């Protein structure tokens, strides 16, 4: 509801949204206080600050009412009639395939898609993103790039039948093909398609859209079932060039896990397109399609999510733009919307939406033209009506002022009683998961992010801000129980999360913590050999305190390792079967100095932080290798 652009045009919806935000914030504060209570001094200070805010707001409200009464006559003479005069059709419209009418994010709303389409689904408690059609890319002119591949028959695919939807649409044909709306992350069970009481053959377009070939049918009913499952689809096309600042930040996300890349990309787009964000001027001087978008600070939902798709692509994720409806309560909600479908790996497509409440309006969701209401009001008002409205305005304003004073007195004397019933479980895991997954939607997010919620080894609990900071410095670790590696890691300034708790496991996965339990098993199975000792001795001789071992069963390929004390102490396990390491070992007999330098370069690559200390070590070994080569040739250096 609060993501819709027309919320800002309806006072009733604004009031509902305000109540929701207030009560949700209060509920979240109670849960935070239960799991991470503040000190007495902090609670008293926060209470004083909030009381000042309430009293200031009350004073402003009284002043505003007084000014409103004084200007009631002037306002009423120029006001339009109440919005009840505006009429709208709340019925369902027949669904039609309008993908060919979509001209890209530079166009206005598509004709005939402002209402609610005749789409129903079961079970009704699901909130699916129903994609009517997909766009694989957008060119620099803002036009959609569509696949030119011919239709292909559907191959039977497997999925989780427990996460399925039964859909039914009433359609009105606009061409020989009818695209079927499908929830993001699902595909149509081809054996379930029933067209006007008969089975129908399902096809796929080059953009992975399920379609029916219509014969004489120009209207009717289609029922089908969708199944949640992986779908490779087609690789998305190109997207307009991003401003260099945004493109650089997006490219740096490639090292993060896919889910974290999605979260960071959404936050980047929202901050980049916010007028108060840190990237207000990134569009100036950018000649591409996105230049005016960033200068304007936003656009319709398809414009904003085209930016998001380009950021995903720059971050190394497969993505495509989807246009359709969002389902609520078993039906499709009115107004066409656009979002991004992103592949998290193995064909698992999920929806992502960067539209900001109150800033971005979905295409086709503009609602009635306010100028139409104004014209109707002007046509029906005359001098007598304006006089009556003026009198009613004075009386209504005076009554509203008296009522407001009485309500304020009642609020000051009697507090609304609320009963907070929480479970007896003090596990902060669900709260941590909610904060990390929906950090932008969380009320009071900044304060909650700094509360100590994540269990750790060595200290009681750590805040998510502290966990994120440790992860940015490659100093975040996780272990289920204390072991031999716990002491050196904590002594070296590392933060070790408690992997035996739900909150610790989730935070470790979300921020990419180094698993000490897996490392301990790997280290026990490793050993030393003559060549590894030479490399270790050479690196130690340059001032790097490093322990090097080998194993023929290293997870992830070429090796693994970590460092503490800002890289002063390090441990590395090298895969004995790695081809590059074997070549270095074979080279040791003929050119030992060069072999040690090349092997040391492989070892340094295993460390998450290669700072100035390791750079100086490699420089020293490279100098020795060059001297050895020059002496072999008999030429002075």
């Amino acid at each position: 509801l609060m993501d819709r652009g027309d919320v800002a045009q309806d006072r009733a919806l604004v009031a509902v949204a305000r109540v929701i935000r207030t009560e949700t914030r209060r509920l979240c504060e109670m849960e935070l206080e239960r799991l991470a209570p503040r000190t007495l001094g902090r609670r008293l200070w926060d209470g004083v600050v909030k009381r000042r805010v309430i009293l200031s707001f009350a004073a402003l409200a009284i002043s505003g009412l007084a000014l409103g009464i004084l200007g009631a006559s002037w306002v009423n003479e120029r006001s339009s009639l109440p919005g009840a005069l505006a009429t709208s059709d709340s019925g369902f419209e027949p669904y039609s395939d309008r993908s060919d009418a979509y001209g890209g994010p530079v166009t206005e709303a598509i004709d005939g898609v402002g209402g609610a389409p005749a789409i129903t689904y079961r079970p009704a408690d699901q909130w699916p993103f129903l994609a009517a059609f997909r766009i694989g890319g957008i060119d620099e002119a803002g036009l959609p790039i569509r696949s030119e591949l011919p239709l292909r028959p559907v191959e039977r695919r497997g999925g989780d039948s427990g996460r399925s939807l039964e859909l039914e649409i009433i359609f009105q044909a606009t061409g020989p093909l009818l695209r079927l709306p499908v929830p993001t992350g699902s595909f149509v069970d081809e054996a379930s398609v029933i067209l006007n009481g008969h089975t129908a053959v399902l096809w796929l377009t080059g953009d992975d859209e399920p379609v029916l070939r219509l014969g004489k049918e120009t209207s009717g009913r289609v029922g089908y079932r969708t199944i949640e499952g992986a779908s490779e689809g087609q690789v998305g096309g190109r997207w307009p060039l991003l401003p260099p600042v945004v493109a650089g930040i997006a490219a740096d996300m490639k090292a993060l896990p896919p889910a974290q890349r999605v979260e960071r990309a959404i936050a980047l787009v929202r901050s980049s397109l916010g007028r108060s964000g840190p990237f207000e001027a990134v569009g100036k001087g950018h000649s591409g399609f996105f230049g005016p978008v960033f200068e304007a600070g936003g656009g319709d939902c398809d414009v904003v999510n085209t930016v998001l798709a380009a950021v995903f692509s720059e971050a190394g994720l497969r993505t495509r733009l989807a246009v359709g409806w969002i389902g609520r309560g078993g039906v499709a909600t009115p107004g066409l919307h656009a979002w991004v479908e992103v592949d998290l790996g193995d064909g698992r497509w999920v929806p992502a939406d960067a539209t900001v409440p109150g800033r971005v309006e979905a295409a086709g969701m503009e609602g009635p033209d306010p100028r139409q209401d104004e014209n109707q009001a002007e046509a029906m008002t005359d001098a007598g009506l304006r006089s009556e409205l003026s009198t009613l305005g004075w009386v209504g304003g005076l009554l509203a002022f008296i009522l407001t004073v009485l309500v304020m007195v009642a609020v000051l004397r009697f507090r609304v009683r609320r009963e907070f019933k929480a479970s007896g479980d003090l596990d902060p895991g669900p709260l941590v998961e909610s904060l990390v997954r929906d950090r932008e939607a969380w009320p009071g997010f900044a304060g909650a992010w700094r509360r100590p919620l994540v269990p750790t080894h060595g200290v009681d609990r750590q805040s998510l801000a502290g966990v994120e900071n440790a992860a940015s410095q490659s100093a975040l670790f996780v272990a289920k129980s204390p072991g031999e590696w716990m002491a050196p890691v904590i002594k070296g300034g590392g933060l070790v999360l408690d992997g035996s708790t739900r909150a610790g496991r989730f935070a470790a996965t979300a921020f990419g913590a180094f698993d000490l339990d897996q490392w301990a098993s790997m280290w026990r199975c490793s050993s030393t050999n003559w060549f590894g000792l030479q490399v270790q001795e050479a690196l130690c001789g340059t001032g790097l305190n490093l322990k090097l071992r080998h194993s023929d069963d290293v997870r992830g390929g070429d090796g693994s390792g970590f460092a503490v004390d800002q890289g002063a102490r390090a441990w590395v396990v090298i895969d004995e079967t790695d081809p590059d390491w074997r070549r270095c070992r074979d080279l040791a007999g003929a050119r030992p100095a060069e072999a040690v330098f090349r092997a040391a370069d492989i070892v340094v690559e295993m460390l998450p932080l290669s700072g100035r200390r390791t750079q100086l070590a490699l420089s020293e070994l490279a100098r020795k290798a060059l001297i050895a080569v020059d002496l072999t040739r008999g030429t002075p250096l």
Side-chain angles (χ1 to χ4, degrees):
L1 174 67
M2 289 186 286
D3 279 341
R4 292 175 51 187
D6 58 354
V7 170
Q9 304 172 10
D10 191 310
R11 293 183 179 180
L13 291 179
V14 169
V16 171
R18 187 181 299 115
V19 173
I20 292 173
R21 291 191 184 100
T22 301
E23 293 302 319
T24 303
R25 180 182 296 275
R26 181 178 289 108
L27 179 64
C28 293
E29 288 175 352
M30 291 179 178
E31 182 69 3
L32 277 172
E33 197 65 29
R34 185 176 73 92
L35 297 175
R38 295 168 295 172
T39 62
L40 178 60
R42 186 64 185 178
R43 290 200 302 269
L44 292 175
W45 172 255
D46 291 345
V48 170
V49 172
K50 290 182 179 179
R51 182 62 59 85
R52 289 177 179 175
V53 172
I54 293 174
L55 293 178
S56 300
F57 178 78
L60 290 175
I62 294 174
S63 302
L65 285 173
L67 292 176
I69 293 175
L70 295 177
S73 178
W74 183 86
V75 171
N76 282 323
E77 288 180 358
R78 292 161 177 79
S79 63
S80 61
L81 290 180
L85 294 178
T87 60
S88 61
D89 184 10
S90 60
F92 292 100
E93 302 175 355
Y95 168 78
S96 59
D97 186 349
R98 298 203 175 251
S99 61
D100 294 336
Y102 182 69
V106 296
T107 63
E108 300 296 334
I110 304 175
D111 295 336
V113 294
I119 302 175
T120 59
Y121 63 86
R122 297 188 306 271
D125 59 347
Q126 301 294 318
W127 289 13
F129 284 74
L130 300 171
F133 58 89
R134 299 184 175 101
I135 305 297
I138 299 293
D139 61 18
E140 285 293 340
L143 300 177
I145 302 174
R146 303 183 185 273
S147 174
E148 298 180 357
L149 296 175
L151 297 180
R152 66 184 190 277
V154 175
E155 298 180 359
R156 182 172 293 276
R157 294 173 288 187
D160 182 6
S161 58
R163 296 295 301 272
S164 62
L165 286 181
E166 300 287 341
L167 287 97
E168 186 176 75
I169 64 174
I170 299 175
F171 70 91
Q172 182 72 39
T174 57
L177 298 179
L178 180 69
R179 287 169 173 79
L180 300 181
V182 180
T184 296
S186 301
F187 58 86
V188 177
D189 181 4
E190 66 278 4
S192 68
V193 181
I194 303 297
L195 173 61
N196 291 333
H198 303 282
T199 59
V201 178
L202 190 67
W203 300 80
L204 287 179
T205 68
D207 293 314
D208 205 32
E209 304 162 310
V211 298
L212 297 177
R213 281 178 169 172
L214 302 177
K216 298 179 180 180
E217 301 92 344
T218 58
S219 62
R221 187 184 304 267
V222 179
Y224 54 98
R225 183 168 67 102
T226 63
I227 304 174
E228 187 178 70
S231 174
E232 278 300 318
Q234 303 297 320
V235 178
R238 67 180 187 274
W239 302 93
L241 294 177
L242 291 165
V245 176
V246 180
I249 298 175
D252 292 339
M253 299 179 188
K254 292 182 179 179
L256 300 174
Q260 195 171 351
R261 272 183 274 174
V262 171
E263 178 185 349
R264 294 286 181 87
I266 292 176
L268 173 64
V269 173
R270 287 180 175 176
S271 62
S272 300
L273 296 182
R275 293 190 181 278
S276 60
F279 302 102
E280 181 178 352
V282 294
K284 295 181 179 180
H286 185 65
S287 60
F289 171 75
F290 287 142
V293 176
F294 281 89
E295 286 190 38
D300 286 348
C301 58
D302 51 351
V303 175
V304 174
N305 283 318
T306 298
V307 178
L308 180 61
V311 172
F312 282 152
S313 180
E314 193 72 31
L317 294 172
R318 296 199 314 155
T319 184
R320 58 197 181 195
L321 188 68
V323 182
W325 294 270
I326 299 176
R328 294 290 188 273
V331 298
T333 56
L336 204 66
H337 187 57
W339 62 92
V340 175
E341 295 181 338
V342 57
D343 184 4
L344 294 183
D346 302 328
R348 295 181 296 114
W349 295 89
V350 297
D353 195 343
T355 53
V356 181
R359 293 271 310 144
V360 182
E361 294 183 359
M365 291 177 59
E366 290 81 356
D369 188 352
R371 292 173 298 179
Q372 182 179 359
D373 294 340
E374 184 179 353
N375 294 335
Q376 292 177 353
E378 291 177 356
M380 296 184 64
T381 56
D382 54 17
L385 182 58
R386 287 197 300 270
S387 176
E388 294 177 4
L389 288 175
S390 178
T391 302
L392 290 175
W394 278 100
V395 175
L398 181 58
L399 293 177
F401 176 78
I402 296 174
L403 180 61
T404 302
V405 172
L406 294 176
V407 170
M408 287 182 177
V409 172
V411 169
L412 291 176
R413 296 193 60 181
F414 305 102
R415 293 189 176 184
V416 178
R417 297 190 61 179
R418 294 177 178 83
E419 187 176 5
F420 178 65
K421 293 184 178 181
S423 64
D425 188 8
L426 293 177
D427 179 20
L431 186 60
V432 170
E433 294 181 11
S434 176
L435 273 169
V436 174
R437 289 173 176 168
D438 303 318
R439 55 191 300 180
E440 297 297 332
W442 242 78
F445 162 76
W449 199 254
R450 292 190 293 268
R451 290 287 189 96
L453 294 170
V454 184
T456 64
H457 294 286
V459 293
D460 292 336
R461 285 183 179 178
Q462 182 62 263
S463 66
L464 287 171
V467 172
E468 186 177 38
N469 181 62
S472 66
Q473 299 177 9
S474 297
L476 185 63
F477 302 83
V478 63
K480 292 184 178 179
S481 60
E484 58 179 330
W485 294 99
M486 191 79 67
V489 168
I490 295 178
K491 184 178 179 182
L495 178 64
V496 184
L497 304 181
D498 188 357
S500 63
T501 64
R502 178 177 175 180
R505 290 193 302 271
F506 185 85
T509 302
F511 294 98
F514 188 91
D515 194 332
L516 289 178
D517 295 332
Q518 293 183 3
W519 168 260
S521 176
M522 185 187 305
W523 187 263
R524 284 194 300 269
C525 298
S526 62
S527 61
T528 59
N529 59 30
W530 63 273
F531 182 65
L533 290 174
Q534 286 186 2
V535 178
Q536 174 181 305
E537 182 178 358
L539 287 171
C540 290
T542 61
L544 181 62
N545 186 5
L546 181 136
K547 300 294 183 181
L548 178 62
R549 302 185 75 169
H550 306 78
S551 176
D552 57 357
D553 185 19
V554 175
R555 296 183 181 180
D558 51 1
S560 179
F562 70 94
V564 295
D565 286 339
Q566 299 181 348
R569 292 184 296 163
W571 294 263
V572 176
V573 174
I574 292 292
D575 187 359
E576 189 69 21
T577 63
D578 180 62
D580 294 334
W581 185 261
R582 285 186 173 184
R583 282 192 290 269
C584 294
R585 187 181 57 192
D586 296 338
L587 185 64
R591 297 193 295 273
E594 181 181 350
V596 168
F597 165 71
R598 292 180 180 273
D601 189 46
I602 296 175
V603 171
V604 169
E605 287 293 325
M606 299 299 102
L607 300 177
L609 282 178
S610 54
R612 180 171 178 80
R613 189 186 304 273
T614 54
Q615 294 174 7
L616 292 176
L618 289 178
S619 298
E620 178 64 19
L621 295 179
R623 187 182 67 83
K624 292 180 179 180
L626 289 173
I627 292 175
V629 171
D630 197 77
L631 292 177
T632 303
R633 295 176 178 174
T635 305
L637 183 63

